[in-house]
Structure formats: C-alpha cells, structure tokens
Amino acid sequence: MGSRASLHLQDDEITAIQQETGFLPNQIIRLFSRFTCLDKEQNGFLTRDDFSRIPEFAINPLAQRIVDTFFVESEDHLNFRQFMRTLAHFRPCTPKTPHEALNSRDNKLRFVFSMYDYDHDNKISKEELLQILKLLVGSNISKEQLSHIAERTLLESDKNNDRNITFDEFKTVMSRTEIDHKMSVRFLD
Amino acid sequence: MVFLHFVASFALFMKFLWTSASLIILLVVTPACFGAELGVRRLYIRLLMKAFKWGTAKIKSKKPIISGGSEEIISKENSINDLGNFNSEQHKKFELGDIMYLIKSGIEAVIDDEVTKRFRAEELPSWNLLTRTNFQYQFISIRLSFLWFAGLIFRYMILLPMRVFITFFALCWIICTMLPLTFMEDTSLKRKLAYYVNVVGFRIICRGFSAVVTYHDRENMPKPGGICVANHTTTLDAAILMQDRPYAILGQIHGGFLGSVMRIMSRATKHVWFERSEVRDRKFVSERIMKHVSDLNNSPVLLFPEGTCINNTSVMMFKKGSFEIPTTIYPVAIKYNPWFGDAFWNSSKHSMLQYLLVVMTSWAIVADVWYLPAMDKEPSENAMQFAERVKAVIARKGGLVDCLWDGQLKRMKVKDSYLQEKQKELGEIYAKSKEEDKLHKNPVKKVRFDISNLEHDSSSSEEEQNSEDNFDENAEIYNYPGDNFEYQSQSTSTGLRVEQDQESAQKIEQTEDFNKNSQDLLDLIKSNGAIDQVL
C-alpha cells in the first residue's frame, strides 16, 4: 500500500520553496498534501491527465491554457517545485511586494499575458486572440462575430498599429484594473 | 527422545489452541445470541483513546503537528458554477481582462475541489499509532516508537489471527444455521427463526472485525414494505446494518459454486437477487422490487444510492433509480470514527482481500448509525428532487458534506457537455452585446443563438463518451467477461446542479418511458452485487 510517508517533504526543500515563492511552511505542507492527492500514480510528479481528473477544473473553458502555464518548463511531468512556482503567482500582493517576486503586480499581469500569447513571442496577435475567444464561447458565437470582437479588442489596445499587443500595451490597457484582487487566491491561515 | 518431546510440546500447543478457540467462540457467540455485549470491545476502545491522546501530546511537544489536508487551504471566491458573478451587467463586450475570472477559478479548483478529495482516506488531525496514517511520527520519541511497535505486534500477532478465525467460524455458523431453514415451509415460525438467524449471524461477523457500533433513534428502524437507503463507505456497511435487523439485499447471483450457495440461502431468507439474464430487463427488475416491497412479510430492501464507496466525509449524488419506486424510504446515516481504523474501501488502491487485511489489522471499526424518520415522495416533486431531499437529511445527521457531484467521477472523467454548458453561458454574455465600432462602418451583425450547433456537439461527444466508457468495475461490481455495462449517459446520471437535473429529468420523463430511467437501478444492483462477497 503506497504510503504518503514515502513522498515526504524534506525540511530543506521547504525552506528553499519558502524563499522562492514566499509561501509559509504550513501552507507549503498543505499544498504538498494536495499535490500528492492529485498525483494518482504516486510518481512524485503530475501529468496533464491528473489535472483533467478534477471535475471543477475540467469544465473551465480555459483549462487547457492554464495547464499549459503549469507545464511551461517540461512537457509532461510537473514536479512539486514547478507546481508551487506557478501557484506562487496567486499569493496576494501589496504595494510593498518587491518587483521580482512571483506574486508582484507585474508578474501577475505577465501570467495573464502568457495566457493569450501562445507562441511566447511576447506579442498577442489577432490569431491568438481568436484562439482564446474560441475556447471561451465554443461554437456559440459565429466566426464573423468572433473576428469582429477580436478586431475591436486589438484596435483598442494596439497603440503603435503593428497589429499586435505587446506587453507594455497590455499593461496600459490593464492599468486601471484591480489586478491584486482578481488574480489572487485567498489562502487561509 | 527428542521426538517425544516434540510430540508432547506439539500436543500442548494444540491443546492451547483448542482451549483458546473454544473460549473465543463462547465469548463471541453467546452474547451475540442474546444481543448483548460483554463490554470488552468498548473498554478496549476507551483504552485506545487514552493511548492516542498520550501519543498526540507527545508529538505536539516534539514538533508542531501540521495536518495534511483536513482543513481548508483557501477560501474559494470564483466558483465556476457561478458565471453570473463574472460580470454585473447582463451582457457586456469582451475585454482583455475578462479571462482573469476564469484563471482564478481554475487555480482555485486545482488547489481545492469538492470531488477528488472524497476518494482518498480522510486525514486525521494527529496520529493513531498506525504507520499507514503517519508522517514518520514513529521516530519522534523512544516511548512513542515502543508503543507503536507493541501495537504492531499486538495487531498482527494477536488481533489478526483471532479475527480471521472468528470470521471463518462466522461463515460456517451462518451456513449451518441457515441450512435447516431452507427445508422449512414459509410459515410465520420460519420467518421468526430467519430473522433471528440473520441477526445473530451478522453479529458474529461484525465481531470478526471488532465492530463497535452505536445505534441511535432505533424507534425509526426500517420496517418491511419500504426501502432503506444509506451512505456508502465500504462493503461492511451492509454487515453493520444487518446485525441490527435483516434486510433484503439487491444483487446479482454469481455463477458456479457460490451461485448455488446463494440460491440456497435465498430460500432461507428472501433477498432480491437476479439471475444474470434477468438484469437486462429493466421493467422486470423494478417490478420484482415492487413485488418484494408490497409483501409485508419480507424484510425492507437495502440500497446504497451513491453507487460507489465514498470516504465518509461527504455524501455524493444519489442515483434517482431507488427513489422512483413508489414506496416509503427509510434513510440511515452511517459515520465511522477514523481514529480506530479507516473503513473507507479505496477500490483503486486495494483489492477486496487487501482491504479486508487492512481492516483486520486496524484497531477496530467504530461507527455510529442513525435511523432517520421515514420519508415519502411528495406529489409535487420528481424522483431527483426527492433523492436530493433524502440525501440532505442523511448528510446533516451524519455530519457529512452534502456534495452535488456524482460518485462515479471516481472512475470517470467529467463529460464534455458540462464544458460546453459553460461555453454556452459565456456565449450568451458576449453574443448579444452591442459592439460599437468606430472604425468600421458595417452594421453590427445580429447573431442568432445557434442551439442546433450545441445539441449536435453534445450528442456526438456523448456517443464518444459511451464507447470509451470502460472504467474498471471489478473492484465493486462483479465483472463478467463479455458483459458490457453501459453507463447511462443521460444527464440524469451525473448531476452538476440540481436545477440542471430537474430540467433534463423533466425532459426525459416526457420523451422516454419509465423503463429507461431505471438504468440507474440496474447499476445499483450491479454495484450492490459486491455484498455477496461478504456472505
């Protein structure tokens, strides 16, 4: 019988993760317990399949893209460090949060940006916008209408008229949105 | 000389075994016959609790206990089921920042969701001296390690052989006491004897895994002419309920030797068993159950509407099949105390035999059983609503979370149609918004809500789903080679929200006949067939 004790987290690993992500030790341990709960085969890593087994997650239209951001570094295997690194983006931030921290306002915005930016070329093209829109509404809106929406969004945000939205243009568009609340998860404790 | 010594010591050993065996039998059987308890087990439980408290204090003094997952990690704010919260106006135009709601919702689901945690053993806030539930606690202090080791020896060397012996004895006892009954005619004397034989037999079985069960509100005990429904944690649920009064179990008769044994037993007490061929005929099944229930000489039928074992922290969706039969429902809530042993049968982790081994080397199985007042279906509600109502009552009494999701998600993935529902909702939000366009002069095209598109998609994906549905059933459902269990794909089987199921349930009742709905019932029969492995 597989025992959770065999996947026990070492103390030095906990400290390392704490430094990198800012999570508290007991939060790290709780999230580790969650990680092992999702890890059906008890391999010490998660696969994309493990994510699709969460019903509330699987019915999210953006599930695929969210999984892609978890698996950014390696295609099939997600270890606990990488898992925590992605989750760290969702810790609440304050004006005092350092710029480089994973949960800074800037990095949260980068996370949203990377959702749109499929090919990681630091630009959102109309094609990429269309892809996201298709994920959101499926076949419930006609292709022409979707193209129309994408065009309109592009024109509103693209200031230098190169038919792409760069990260800076993206930041400008989002400057009045309350990023902290919308992109932070309320960790208890 | 040596040989003589050997024989002498062997003889002594046998004598020892024989005396202890007869002592055990005496101490187990006699109280069972009279429905009494010697009190040994309860005393044992009290002593164990003291040991656990001591152990917890010891652990706390050495290092802070960080509970793995029993408390909430986050407070969820963006539910995927509440896309209405997504925006305040009814229709809005798409903005780049809109996806943040879904991103946060997805991340919250990754961190904590209502379903996956139900299929894993409940985590204890501290340690109960079993290696299987610890985070290497046994290395904390010498005294704790000693206690753990002593416990290990006790459980494997003393408790396990004793329990195995009692269980074997119980099986023989049951066969011996039931056999004479099969020759008797169906008179009231026979029924009285059968009642007694059943209850005593199961009491002995329960002693075989040191079950300490407390029954509450026994005045509400199920009566003949009704169906008893309970939440499902393990196959032992049936044994625990049947040591208080006999029930008629719903199941399939197996082939071969066991099948003949079952057929003989069903002549002693009336169960609702179907031959393999009969299970295909849904109408026949519901009629048989109805017939059984109408005869007040028969025991109430026992059903577990969840259809699968859940880890006893929540009650998952009740299949409406049991609630469509027009008879009284007797709800029963069962809650196990996880400190003494985990009763949950994780069929993907343990086979039946492994599970029994785990149970027999645990400290004990301690449970509370609450008999709830009988419930009837109101004329204004349909079967699904009635099922939800009963489920809520059971969950409240047992201190369990009332979960809307289907227990079959243990084995299956959630269907695509639910994702498509979400896409449809989003489509509705965006489609009708007025797209003001300053640069293009073309008039805004009116988008017709394309329903036919959606239906086509969902039906084709459900067809795919059906052919791919070959989830592993041999854990709880008796697996016959060549059998093709179709898992009902109607939205009546997997519920997301109560309102959704009401609509689809009504649709189905209008367009199809009753028989199709009782597919749920057949699944229940098949899953309850595992009961036979206990007997």
Side-chain angles (χ1 to χ4, degrees), chain A residues 4 33-34 49 52 56-57 59-60 116 135-136 139-140 148 152 156 181-182 184 186 188, chain B residues 73-76 93-94 96 102 104 109-111 113-114 116 120 123 413 423-424 426 435 437:
Chain A
R4 278 163 259 159
S33 175
R34 173 66 178 172
D49 223 37
S52 62
E56 280 161 58
F57 182 74
I59 64 174
N60 188 318
Y116 286 106
L135 281 181
L136 286 180
S139 47
N140 292 291
H148 193 83
R152 194 250 314 148
E156 278 174 359
H181 178 69
K182 294 197 173 172
S184 296
R186 256 216 330 184
L188 292 179
Chain B
I73 312 180
I74 57 175
S75 155
K76 288 177 104 163
K93 57 180 191 135
F94 174 76
L96 282 175
L102 288 174
K104 179 167 165 179
V110 168
I111 296 178
D113 81 299
E114 275 307 303
T116 51
R120 200 188 184 206
E123 297 210 25
K413 295 214 185 137
Q423 288 177 323
K424 181 172 152 191
L426 286 170
E435 288 283 319
D437 210 326

Side-chain angles (χ1 to χ4, degrees), chain B residues 74-132:
Chain B
I74 57 175
S75 155
K76 288 177 104 163
E77 290 171 345
N78 287 15
S79 167
I80 189 72
N81 291 333
D82 268 329
L83 281 183
N85 283 346
F86 175 46
N87 66 302
S88 36
E89 314 109 51
Q90 259 235 300
H91 308 293
K92 74 192 293 288
K93 57 180 191 135
F94 174 76
E95 283 166 9
L96 282 175
D98 284 353
I99 64 170
M100 290 197 286
Y101 185 92
L102 288 174
I103 296 175
K104 179 167 165 179
S105 171
I107 296 286
E108 283 182 342
V110 168
I111 296 178
D112 186 19
D113 81 299
E114 275 307 303
V115 179
T116 51
K117 63 186 180 190
R118 305 294 174 207
F119 304 127
R120 200 188 184 206
E122 186 180 357
E123 297 210 25
L124 291 171
S126 173
W127 190 36
N128 65 347
L129 300 175
L130 299 173
T131 352
R132 56 191 80 145

Side-chain angles (χ1 to χ4, degrees), chain A residues 35-96:
Chain A
F35 181 84
T36 52
C37 179
L38 294 176
D39 180 9
K40 197 162 187 206
E41 273 124 51
Q42 300 285 297
N43 294 332
F45 56 79
L46 296 179
T47 61
R48 282 165 188 269
D49 223 37
D50 288 321
F51 282 87
S52 62
R53 235 178 272 119
I54 308 172
E56 280 161 58
F57 182 74
I59 64 174
N60 188 318
L62 288 182
Q64 280 298 19
R65 290 300 295 152
I66 299 176
V67 171
D68 285 341
T69 57
F70 273 99
F71 283 81
V72 131
E73 288 168 36
S74 89
E75 264 309 304
D76 312 307
H77 295 178
L78 184 73
N79 66 27
F80 184 57
R81 294 289 288 262
Q82 295 160 337
F83 181 70
M84 291 301 277
R85 231 174 273 144
T86 315
L87 289 184
H89 286 87
F90 293 87
R91 284 184 58 237
C93 73
T94 66
K96 289 213 204 98

Side-chain angles (χ1 to χ4, degrees), chain B residues 312-315 333 335 370 393-402:
Chain B
N312 209 232
T313 56
S314 83
V315 185
K335 178 86 180 108
W370 287 274
V393 166
I394 292 182
R396 204 168 29 237
K397 196 68 179 186
L400 304 161
V401 173
D402 189 353

Side-chain angles (χ1 to χ4, degrees), chain A residues 1-6 8 25-27 29-31 33-34 36-38 40 42 49 51-62 66 70 83 86-87 90 109 111-112 115-116 124 129 132-142 144-145 148-149 151-153 155-157 165 170 173-174 177-179 181-189, chain B residues 63 66-69 71-78 80-81 93-100 102-117 120-121 123 132 134-136 348-350 357-358 405 409-410 413-415 418-420 422-424 426-427 430-431 433 435-437 439-440 444-445 447-450 453-454 457 496:
Chain A
M1 4 190 165
S3 84
R4 278 163 259 159
S6 62
H8 190 59
N26 69 320
Q27 289 173 329
I29 293 186
R30 287 225 207 104
L31 288 169
S33 175
R34 173 66 178 172
T36 52
C37 179
L38 294 176
K40 197 162 187 206
Q42 300 285 297
D49 223 37
F51 282 87
S52 62
R53 235 178 272 119
I54 308 172
E56 280 161 58
F57 182 74
I59 64 174
N60 188 318
L62 288 182
I66 299 176
F70 273 99
F83 181 70
T86 315
L87 289 184
F90 293 87
L109 278 171
F111 193 99
V112 185
M115 281 275 140
Y116 286 106
I124 305 177
L129 266 180
I132 293 287
L133 284 169
K134 261 200 280 237
L135 281 181
L136 286 180
V137 299
S139 47
N140 292 291
I141 297 187
S142 71
E144 300 89 40
Q145 178 79 339
H148 193 83
I149 297 177
E151 186 67 42
R152 194 250 314 148
T153 317
L155 289 169
E156 278 174 359
S157 327
I165 306 178
F170 184 74
V173 172
M174 305 285 279
T177 330
E178 205 204 310
I179 302 292
H181 178 69
K182 294 197 173 172
M183 283 291 282
S184 296
V185 170
R186 256 216 330 184
F187 286 94
L188 292 179
D189 182 8
Chain B
K63 91 186 206 174
I66 296 161
S67 79
E71 290 128 40
E72 305 290 318
I73 312 180
I74 57 175
S75 155
K76 288 177 104 163
E77 290 171 345
N78 287 15
I80 189 72
N81 291 333
K93 57 180 191 135
F94 174 76
E95 283 166 9
L96 282 175
D98 284 353
I99 64 170
M100 290 197 286
L102 288 174
I103 296 175
K104 179 167 165 179
S105 171
I107 296 286
E108 283 182 342
V110 168
I111 296 178
D112 186 19
D113 81 299
E114 275 307 303
V115 179
T116 51
K117 63 186 180 190
R120 200 188 184 206
E123 297 210 25
R132 56 191 80 145
N134 79 345
F135 286 99
Q136 297 176 340
S348 52
K349 198 170 162 200
H350 299 142
L357 184 68
V358 167
W405 291 91
L409 288 169
K410 184 187 195 178
K413 295 214 185 137
V414 70
K415 293 209 289 291
Y418 292 112
L419 170 62
Q420 284 156 5
K422 294 296 145 200
Q423 288 177 323
K424 181 172 152 191
L426 286 170
Y430 290 128
S433 67
E435 288 283 319
E436 279 172 40
D437 210 326
L439 294 167
H440 295 252
V444 175
K445 223 172 168 170
V447 179
R448 190 178 64 82
F449 195 85
D450 221 355
N453 234 351
L454 175 68
D457 280 346
L496 185 58

